Amino acid sequence: MLVRKSAVNAARLEIRRLDKVVAQQNKELDFRAESYGRLRRRHLELEDAYQALEVEFCQLKLSLPARDARGRFSKR
């Protein structure tokens, strides 16, 4: 059974169209993966900075003189 040339050409055109769609989707996925990687690295940087600030805050809090119940500074 012979297949018509028009059907073959239509199939080839559809394959080309789908190849272009897949190529575009791959570009989008690559872009999203790269963006996610950048965001993840930035999140880790900010998390480290936050932890460093928490440590510094605790150290500063401990270095303050203590207050008694009336709010006066007491001797440690």
Side-chain angles (χ1 to χ4, degrees):
M1 184 164 127
L2 295 174
V3 178
R4 293 183 179 174
K5 282 187 179 182
S6 61
V8 171
N9 287 337
R12 286 181 182 156
L13 288 173
E14 183 66 11
I15 289 170
R16 282 189 203 133
R17 187 187 70 77
L18 291 174
D19 283 344
K20 288 178 184 177
V21 169
V22 168
Q24 182 63 32
Q25 288 176 343
N26 284 339
K27 285 181 188 177
E28 289 176 14
L29 284 174
D30 290 342
F31 174 77
R32 289 180 183 184
E34 185 178 323
S35 296
Y36 177 78
R38 283 194 308 263
L39 286 172
R40 184 73 181 138
R41 284 189 295 277
R42 182 67 177 142
H43 173 76
L44 292 174
E45 290 171 8
L46 290 173
E47 199 172 60
D48 290 343
Y50 179 79
Q51 288 175 354
L53 285 173
E54 273 188 328
V55 168
E56 185 178 349
F57 176 75
C58 288
Q59 290 171 346
L60 288 172
K61 192 174 175 184
L62 290 174
S63 69
L64 290 174
R67 294 178 182 250
D68 63 10
R70 294 184 184 166
R72 297 179 294 187
F73 290 110
S74 62
K75 299 176 184 174
R76 282 189 179 182

Coordinates of all heavy atoms in Angstrom, one line a residue:
M1 N 0.8 -1.2 0.0 CA 0.0 0.0 0.0 C 0.9 1.2 0.0 O 1.8 1.4 0.8 CB -0.9 0.0 1.2 CG -1.9 1.1 1.3 SD -3.1 0.6 2.5 CE -3.0 2.1 3.5
L2 N 0.6 2.1 -0.9 CA 1.5 3.3 -1.0 C 0.9 4.4 -0.2 O -0.3 4.6 -0.1 CB 1.5 3.8 -2.5 CG 2.2 2.8 -3.4 CD1 2.0 3.3 -4.9 CD2 3.7 2.7 -3.1
V3 N 1.8 5.2 0.4 CA 1.4 6.3 1.2 C 1.4 7.6 0.3 O 2.4 7.7 -0.4 CB 2.3 6.5 2.5 CG1 1.9 7.7 3.3 CG2 2.2 5.2 3.3
R4 N 0.5 8.4 0.4 CA 0.5 9.6 -0.4 C 1.6 10.5 0.0 O 2.0 10.6 1.2 CB -0.8 10.3 -0.3 CG -2.0 9.6 -0.8 CD -3.2 10.4 -0.7 NE -4.3 9.7 -1.3 CZ -5.6 10.1 -1.3 NH1 -5.8 11.3 -0.7 NH2 -6.5 9.4 -1.8
K5 N 2.2 11.2 -1.0 CA 3.2 12.2 -0.7 C 2.8 13.3 0.2 O 3.5 13.8 1.1 CB 3.8 12.8 -2.0 CG 4.7 11.9 -2.8 CD 5.3 12.7 -3.9 CE 6.2 11.8 -4.7 NZ 6.9 12.5 -5.8
S6 N 1.6 13.7 0.1 CA 1.0 14.8 0.9 C 1.0 14.4 2.4 O 1.3 15.2 3.3 CB -0.3 15.3 0.4 OG -1.3 14.2 0.5
A7 N 0.7 13.1 2.6 CA 0.6 12.6 4.0 C 2.0 12.6 4.6 O 2.3 12.9 5.7 CB 0.0 11.3 4.1
V8 N 3.0 12.2 3.8 CA 4.4 12.1 4.2 C 4.9 13.5 4.5 O 5.5 13.8 5.5 CB 5.3 11.4 3.1 CG1 6.7 11.5 3.5 CG2 4.9 9.9 3.0
N9 N 4.6 14.4 3.6 CA 5.0 15.8 3.8 C 4.4 16.4 5.1 O 5.0 17.1 5.8 CB 4.7 16.7 2.6 CG 5.7 16.4 1.4 OD1 6.8 15.9 1.6 ND2 5.2 16.6 0.2
A10 N 3.1 16.1 5.3 CA 2.4 16.6 6.5 C 3.1 16.1 7.7 O 3.3 16.8 8.7 CB 1.0 16.3 6.4
A11 N 3.4 14.8 7.7 CA 4.1 14.2 8.8 C 5.4 14.8 9.1 O 5.8 15.0 10.2 CB 4.2 12.7 8.6
R12 N 6.2 15.0 8.0 CA 7.5 15.7 8.2 C 7.4 17.1 8.8 O 8.1 17.5 9.6 CB 8.2 15.7 6.8 CG 8.8 14.4 6.4 CD 9.5 14.5 5.1 NE 10.0 13.2 4.6 CZ 10.2 12.9 3.4 NH1 10.0 13.8 2.4 NH2 10.6 11.7 3.1
L13 N 6.4 17.8 8.3 CA 6.2 19.2 8.8 C 5.8 19.1 10.3 O 6.2 19.9 11.1 CB 5.1 19.9 8.1 CG 5.4 20.3 6.6 CD1 4.2 20.9 5.9 CD2 6.5 21.4 6.7
E14 N 4.9 18.1 10.7 CA 4.6 18.0 12.1 C 5.8 17.6 12.9 O 5.9 18.1 14.1 CB 3.4 16.9 12.2 CG 2.9 16.7 13.6 CD 2.2 18.0 14.2 OE1 1.9 18.9 13.4 OE2 1.9 18.0 15.4
I15 N 6.6 16.8 12.4 CA 7.8 16.4 13.2 C 8.7 17.6 13.4 O 9.2 17.8 14.5 CB 8.6 15.2 12.4 CG1 7.8 13.9 12.5 CG2 10.0 15.1 13.0 CD1 8.3 12.8 11.7
R16 N 8.9 18.4 12.3 CA 9.7 19.6 12.5 C 9.1 20.6 13.5 O 9.8 21.1 14.3 CB 9.8 20.3 11.1 CG 10.8 19.7 10.2 CD 11.0 20.6 9.0 NE 11.5 19.7 7.9 CZ 11.1 19.8 6.6 NH1 10.1 20.6 6.3 NH2 11.6 19.0 5.7
R17 N 7.8 20.7 13.4 CA 7.1 21.6 14.4 C 7.3 21.1 15.8 O 7.6 21.9 16.7 CB 5.6 21.7 14.1 CG 4.9 22.7 14.9 CD 3.4 22.6 14.7 NE 2.8 21.4 15.3 CZ 2.5 21.3 16.6 NH1 2.8 22.2 17.4 NH2 2.0 20.1 17.0
L18 N 7.2 19.8 16.0 CA 7.4 19.2 17.3 C 8.8 19.3 17.8 O 9.1 19.5 19.0 CB 6.9 17.8 17.4 CG 5.3 17.6 17.2 CD1 5.0 16.1 17.1 CD2 4.6 18.3 18.4
D19 N 9.7 19.2 16.9 CA 11.2 19.3 17.2 C 11.4 20.8 17.7 O 12.2 21.0 18.7 CB 12.1 19.0 16.0 CG 12.2 17.5 15.8 OD1 11.9 16.7 16.7 OD2 12.7 17.2 14.7
K20 N 10.8 21.7 17.1 CA 11.0 23.1 17.5 C 10.4 23.4 18.9 O 10.9 24.0 19.7 CB 10.3 24.1 16.5 CG 11.1 24.2 15.2 CD 10.4 25.1 14.2 CE 11.2 25.1 12.9 NZ 10.5 25.9 11.9
V21 N 9.2 22.8 19.1 CA 8.5 22.9 20.4 C 9.4 22.3 21.5 O 9.6 22.9 22.6 CB 7.1 22.2 20.4 CG1 6.6 22.1 21.8 CG2 6.2 23.0 19.5
V22 N 10.0 21.1 21.2 CA 10.8 20.4 22.2 C 12.1 21.2 22.5 O 12.5 21.4 23.6 CB 11.1 19.0 21.7 CG1 12.3 18.4 22.6 CG2 9.9 18.1 21.8
A23 N 12.7 21.8 21.4 CA 13.9 22.6 21.6 C 13.5 23.8 22.4 O 14.3 24.2 23.3 CB 14.4 23.0 20.2
Q24 N 12.4 24.5 22.2 CA 12.0 25.6 23.0 C 11.8 25.2 24.5 O 12.2 26.0 25.4 CB 10.7 26.3 22.4 CG 10.3 27.5 23.2 CD 11.3 28.6 23.1 OE1 12.0 28.8 22.1 NE2 11.3 29.4 24.2
Q25 N 11.1 24.1 24.7 CA 10.9 23.7 26.1 C 12.2 23.3 26.8 O 12.4 23.6 28.0 CB 10.0 22.5 26.1 CG 8.5 22.8 25.7 CD 7.6 21.6 25.6 OE1 8.1 20.4 25.5 NE2 6.3 21.8 25.6
N26 N 13.2 22.8 26.0 CA 14.5 22.5 26.6 C 15.2 23.7 27.0 O 15.8 23.8 28.1 CB 15.3 21.6 25.7 CG 14.9 20.2 25.6 OD1 14.2 19.7 26.5 ND2 15.2 19.5 24.5
K27 N 15.1 24.8 26.2 CA 15.7 26.1 26.5 C 15.1 26.6 27.8 O 15.8 27.1 28.7 CB 15.5 27.1 25.4 CG 16.4 26.9 24.2 CD 16.1 27.9 23.1 CE 16.8 27.7 21.9 NZ 16.5 28.7 20.8
E28 N 13.7 26.6 27.9 CA 13.0 27.0 29.1 C 13.5 26.3 30.3 O 13.7 26.8 31.4 CB 11.5 27.0 28.9 CG 11.0 28.0 27.9 CD 9.5 27.8 27.6 OE1 8.8 27.1 28.4 OE2 9.0 28.4 26.6
L29 N 13.6 25.0 30.2 CA 14.0 24.1 31.3 C 15.4 24.5 31.8 O 15.7 24.5 33.0 CB 13.9 22.6 31.0 CG 12.5 22.1 31.0 CD1 12.5 20.6 30.5 CD2 11.9 22.1 32.3
D30 N 16.3 24.7 30.8 CA 17.7 25.0 31.1 C 17.7 26.4 31.9 O 18.4 26.5 32.8 CB 18.5 25.1 29.9 CG 18.8 23.8 29.3 OD1 18.7 22.8 30.0 OD2 19.2 23.7 28.1
F31 N 16.9 27.3 31.4 CA 16.8 28.6 32.0 C 16.3 28.5 33.4 O 16.9 29.1 34.4 CB 16.0 29.6 31.2 CG 15.7 30.9 31.9 CD1 16.7 31.9 31.8 CD2 14.5 31.2 32.5 CE1 16.5 33.1 32.5 CE2 14.3 32.4 33.1 CZ 15.3 33.4 33.1
R32 N 15.3 27.7 33.6 CA 14.7 27.6 35.0 C 15.7 26.9 35.9 O 15.8 27.2 37.1 CB 13.4 26.8 34.9 CG 12.3 27.6 34.3 CD 11.0 26.8 34.2 NE 9.9 27.6 33.6 CZ 8.7 27.2 33.4 NH1 8.3 26.0 33.9 NH2 7.8 27.9 32.8
A33 N 16.4 25.9 35.4 CA 17.3 25.2 36.2 C 18.5 26.1 36.6 O 18.9 26.1 37.8 CB 17.9 24.0 35.5
E34 N 18.9 26.9 35.7 CA 20.0 27.9 36.0 C 19.5 28.9 37.0 O 20.2 29.2 38.0 CB 20.4 28.6 34.7 CG 21.6 29.5 34.9 CD 22.1 30.1 33.6 OE1 22.0 29.4 32.6 OE2 22.5 31.3 33.7
S35 N 18.3 29.4 36.8 CA 17.7 30.4 37.8 C 17.5 29.8 39.2 O 17.8 30.4 40.2 CB 16.4 30.9 37.3 OG 16.5 31.5 36.0
Y36 N 17.0 28.5 39.2 CA 16.9 27.9 40.5 C 18.2 27.7 41.2 O 18.3 27.9 42.4 CB 16.2 26.5 40.3 CG 16.1 25.7 41.6 CD1 15.1 26.0 42.5 CD2 17.0 24.7 41.9 CE1 15.0 25.4 43.7 CE2 16.9 24.0 43.1 CZ 15.9 24.4 44.0 OH 15.8 23.7 45.2
G37 N 19.2 27.3 40.4 CA 20.6 27.2 41.0 C 21.1 28.5 41.6 O 21.6 28.5 42.7
R38 N 20.9 29.6 40.9 CA 21.3 30.9 41.4 C 20.5 31.2 42.7 O 21.1 31.7 43.7 CB 21.1 32.0 40.4 CG 22.1 32.0 39.3 CD 22.1 33.3 38.5 NE 20.8 33.6 38.0 CZ 20.4 33.3 36.7 NH1 21.2 32.7 35.9 NH2 19.1 33.6 36.3
L39 N 19.2 31.0 42.6 CA 18.4 31.3 43.8 C 18.8 30.5 45.0 O 18.8 30.9 46.1 CB 16.9 31.1 43.5 CG 16.2 32.2 42.6 CD1 14.8 31.8 42.2 CD2 16.2 33.5 43.3
R40 N 19.0 29.2 44.8 CA 19.4 28.3 45.9 C 20.8 28.7 46.5 O 20.9 28.8 47.7 CB 19.5 26.9 45.3 CG 19.8 25.9 46.3 CD 18.6 25.6 47.2 NE 19.0 24.6 48.2 CZ 18.7 24.7 49.5 NH1 17.9 25.6 49.9 NH2 19.1 23.8 50.3
R41 N 21.7 29.1 45.6 CA 23.0 29.6 46.2 C 22.8 30.9 47.0 O 23.4 31.0 48.1 CB 24.0 29.8 45.0 CG 24.6 28.6 44.4 CD 25.8 28.9 43.5 NE 25.3 29.6 42.3 CZ 24.8 29.0 41.2 NH1 24.6 27.7 41.2 NH2 24.4 29.7 40.2
R42 N 22.0 31.8 46.5 CA 21.7 33.0 47.2 C 21.0 32.8 48.5 O 21.3 33.4 49.5 CB 20.9 34.0 46.3 CG 20.6 35.3 46.9 CD 21.9 36.1 47.1 NE 21.5 37.4 47.6 CZ 22.3 38.1 48.5 NH1 23.4 37.6 48.9 NH2 21.9 39.2 49.0
H43 N 20.1 31.8 48.5 CA 19.4 31.5 49.8 C 20.4 30.9 50.8 O 20.4 31.3 52.0 CB 18.4 30.4 49.4 CG 17.7 29.8 50.7 ND1 16.8 30.5 51.4 CD2 17.9 28.6 51.3 CE1 16.4 29.8 52.4 NE2 17.1 28.6 52.4
L44 N 21.3 30.1 50.4 CA 22.3 29.6 51.3 C 23.2 30.7 51.8 O 23.6 30.7 53.0 CB 23.2 28.4 50.6 CG 22.4 27.2 50.3 CD1 23.2 26.2 49.5 CD2 21.9 26.5 51.5
E45 N 23.6 31.6 50.9 CA 24.4 32.7 51.4 C 23.7 33.5 52.5 O 24.3 33.9 53.5 CB 24.8 33.6 50.2 CG 25.8 33.1 49.2 CD 25.9 33.9 48.0 OE1 25.3 35.1 47.9 OE2 26.5 33.5 47.0
L46 N 22.4 33.8 52.2 CA 21.6 34.6 53.1 C 21.4 33.9 54.4 O 21.4 34.4 55.5 CB 20.3 35.0 52.5 CG 20.4 36.0 51.4 CD1 19.0 36.2 50.8 CD2 20.9 37.4 51.9
E47 N 21.2 32.6 54.3 CA 21.1 31.7 55.5 C 22.3 31.8 56.4 O 22.3 31.9 57.6 CB 20.7 30.3 55.1 CG 20.1 29.5 56.2 CD 19.6 28.2 55.7 OE1 20.4 27.4 55.2 OE2 18.4 27.9 55.8
D48 N 23.5 31.7 55.8 CA 24.8 31.7 56.5 C 24.9 33.1 57.2 O 25.4 33.2 58.3 CB 25.9 31.5 55.6 CG 26.0 30.0 55.1 OD1 25.4 29.2 55.8 OD2 26.7 29.8 54.1
A49 N 24.6 34.2 56.4 CA 24.7 35.5 57.0 C 23.8 35.7 58.2 O 24.1 36.3 59.2 CB 24.4 36.6 55.9
Y50 N 22.6 35.1 58.1 CA 21.6 35.2 59.1 C 22.1 34.5 60.4 O 22.0 35.0 61.5 CB 20.2 34.6 58.7 CG 19.2 34.7 59.8 CD1 18.5 35.8 60.1 CD2 18.9 33.5 60.5 CE1 17.5 35.9 61.1 CE2 17.9 33.5 61.5 CZ 17.3 34.7 61.8 OH 16.3 34.8 62.8
Q51 N 22.7 33.3 60.2 CA 23.2 32.6 61.3 C 24.3 33.3 62.0 O 24.4 33.4 63.2 CB 23.6 31.2 60.9 CG 22.5 30.3 60.6 CD 22.9 28.9 60.0 OE1 24.1 28.7 59.8 NE2 22.0 28.0 59.8
A52 N 25.2 34.0 61.2 CA 26.3 34.8 61.7 C 25.7 35.9 62.5 O 26.3 36.3 63.6 CB 27.2 35.3 60.6
L53 N 24.7 36.6 62.1 CA 24.1 37.7 62.8 C 23.4 37.2 64.1 O 23.5 37.9 65.1 CB 23.0 38.4 61.9 CG 23.5 39.3 60.8 CD1 22.4 39.8 60.0 CD2 24.3 40.5 61.4
E54 N 22.8 36.0 64.1 CA 22.2 35.5 65.3 C 23.3 35.3 66.3 O 23.1 35.6 67.5 CB 21.5 34.2 65.0 CG 20.1 34.3 64.6 CD 19.4 33.0 64.5 OE1 20.1 31.9 64.2 OE2 18.2 32.9 64.8
V55 N 24.5 34.7 65.9 CA 25.6 34.5 66.9 C 26.1 35.8 67.4 O 26.3 35.9 68.6 CB 26.7 33.7 66.2 CG1 28.0 33.7 67.0 CG2 26.2 32.3 65.8
E56 N 26.2 36.8 66.5 CA 26.7 38.1 67.0 C 25.7 38.7 67.9 O 26.1 39.3 68.9 CB 26.9 39.0 65.8 CG 27.5 40.3 66.1 CD 27.8 41.2 64.9 OE1 27.7 40.7 63.7 OE2 28.1 42.4 65.0
F57 N 24.4 38.6 67.6 CA 23.4 39.2 68.5 C 23.5 38.5 69.9 O 23.4 39.2 70.9 CB 22.0 39.0 67.9 CG 20.9 39.4 68.8 CD1 20.6 40.8 68.9 CD2 20.1 38.5 69.4 CE1 19.6 41.2 69.7 CE2 19.1 38.9 70.3 CZ 18.8 40.3 70.4
C58 N 23.6 37.2 69.9 CA 23.7 36.5 71.2 C 24.9 36.9 72.0 O 24.8 37.1 73.2 CB 23.7 35.0 71.0 SG 22.1 34.3 70.5
Q59 N 26.0 37.1 71.3 CA 27.2 37.6 72.0 C 27.0 39.0 72.5 O 27.4 39.3 73.7 CB 28.4 37.5 71.0 CG 28.8 36.1 70.7 CD 29.9 36.1 69.6 OE1 30.1 37.1 68.9 NE2 30.5 34.9 69.4
L60 N 26.4 39.9 71.8 CA 26.2 41.2 72.2 C 25.2 41.2 73.4 O 25.4 42.0 74.4 CB 25.6 42.1 71.1 CG 26.6 42.5 70.0 CD1 25.9 43.2 68.9 CD2 27.7 43.4 70.6
K61 N 24.2 40.4 73.3 CA 23.2 40.3 74.4 C 23.9 39.9 75.7 O 23.6 40.4 76.8 CB 22.1 39.3 74.0 CG 20.9 39.4 74.8 CD 19.8 38.5 74.2 CE 18.6 38.4 75.1 NZ 17.6 37.5 74.6
L62 N 24.8 38.9 75.6 CA 25.5 38.4 76.8 C 26.5 39.4 77.3 O 26.8 39.4 78.5 CB 26.2 37.1 76.5 CG 25.3 35.9 76.2 CD1 26.2 34.7 75.8 CD2 24.5 35.5 77.5
S63 N 27.0 40.3 76.5 CA 27.9 41.3 77.0 C 27.3 42.5 77.6 O 28.0 43.2 78.3 CB 28.8 41.8 75.8 OG 28.0 42.6 74.9
L64 N 26.0 42.6 77.5 CA 25.3 43.7 78.2 C 25.2 43.4 79.7 O 25.1 42.3 80.1 CB 23.9 43.9 77.7 CG 23.7 44.4 76.2 CD1 22.2 44.3 75.8 CD2 24.2 45.8 76.2
P65 N 25.3 44.5 80.5 CA 25.2 44.3 81.9 C 23.7 43.8 82.3 O 22.8 44.2 81.6 CB 25.4 45.6 82.5 CG 25.4 46.6 81.4 CD 25.5 45.9 80.1
A66 N 23.6 43.0 83.3 CA 22.3 42.4 83.7 C 21.6 43.5 84.5 O 22.1 44.4 85.1 CB 22.6 41.2 84.6
R67 N 20.2 43.4 84.4 CA 19.4 44.3 85.2 C 18.6 43.5 86.2 O 18.3 42.3 86.0 CB 18.4 45.0 84.2 CG 19.1 45.9 83.3 CD 18.1 46.6 82.3 NE 18.8 47.4 81.4 CZ 18.7 48.7 81.4 NH1 18.0 49.4 82.3 NH2 19.3 49.4 80.5
D68 N 18.3 44.1 87.3 CA 17.5 43.4 88.3 C 16.0 43.6 88.0 O 15.7 44.2 87.0 CB 17.9 43.9 89.7 CG 17.6 45.4 89.9 OD1 17.0 46.0 89.1 OD2 18.1 45.9 91.0
A69 N 15.2 43.2 88.9 CA 13.7 43.3 88.7 C 13.2 44.7 88.6 O 12.2 45.0 87.9 CB 13.0 42.6 89.9
R70 N 13.9 45.7 89.1 CA 13.5 47.1 89.0 C 14.1 47.8 87.8 O 13.9 48.9 87.6 CB 13.9 47.8 90.3 CG 13.2 47.3 91.5 CD 13.6 48.2 92.7 NE 13.0 47.6 93.9 CZ 13.3 48.0 95.1 NH1 14.3 48.8 95.3 NH2 12.7 47.5 96.1
G71 N 14.9 47.0 87.0 CA 15.5 47.6 85.8 C 16.8 48.3 86.1 O 17.3 48.9 85.2
R72 N 17.3 48.2 87.3 CA 18.6 48.7 87.6 C 19.7 47.7 87.2 O 19.5 46.5 87.2 CB 18.7 49.1 89.1 CG 17.7 50.1 89.5 CD 17.9 50.4 91.0 NE 17.5 49.1 91.7 CZ 17.4 49.0 93.0 NH1 17.6 50.0 93.8 NH2 17.0 47.9 93.6
F73 N 20.9 48.3 86.8 CA 22.0 47.4 86.5 C 22.5 46.7 87.8 O 22.6 47.3 88.8 CB 23.1 48.2 85.9 CG 22.8 48.7 84.5 CD1 22.6 50.1 84.3 CD2 22.7 47.8 83.4 CE1 22.3 50.5 83.0 CE2 22.4 48.3 82.2 CZ 22.2 49.7 82.0
S74 N 22.7 45.4 87.7 CA 23.2 44.7 88.8 C 24.6 44.2 88.5 O 25.0 44.1 87.3 CB 22.3 43.5 89.1 OG 22.2 42.6 88.0
K75 N 25.3 43.8 89.5 CA 26.6 43.3 89.4 C 26.6 41.8 89.1 O 25.8 41.1 89.8 CB 27.5 43.6 90.6 CG 27.6 45.1 90.8 CD 28.4 45.3 92.1 CE 28.5 46.8 92.4 NZ 29.1 47.1 93.7
R76 N 27.3 41.4 88.2 CA 27.4 39.9 88.0 C 28.5 39.3 88.7 O 29.5 39.7 88.9 CB 27.6 39.6 86.5 CG 26.3 39.8 85.7 CD 26.5 39.3 84.3 NE 25.3 39.5 83.5 CZ 25.1 39.1 82.3 NH1 26.1 38.5 81.6 NH2 24.0 39.3 81.7

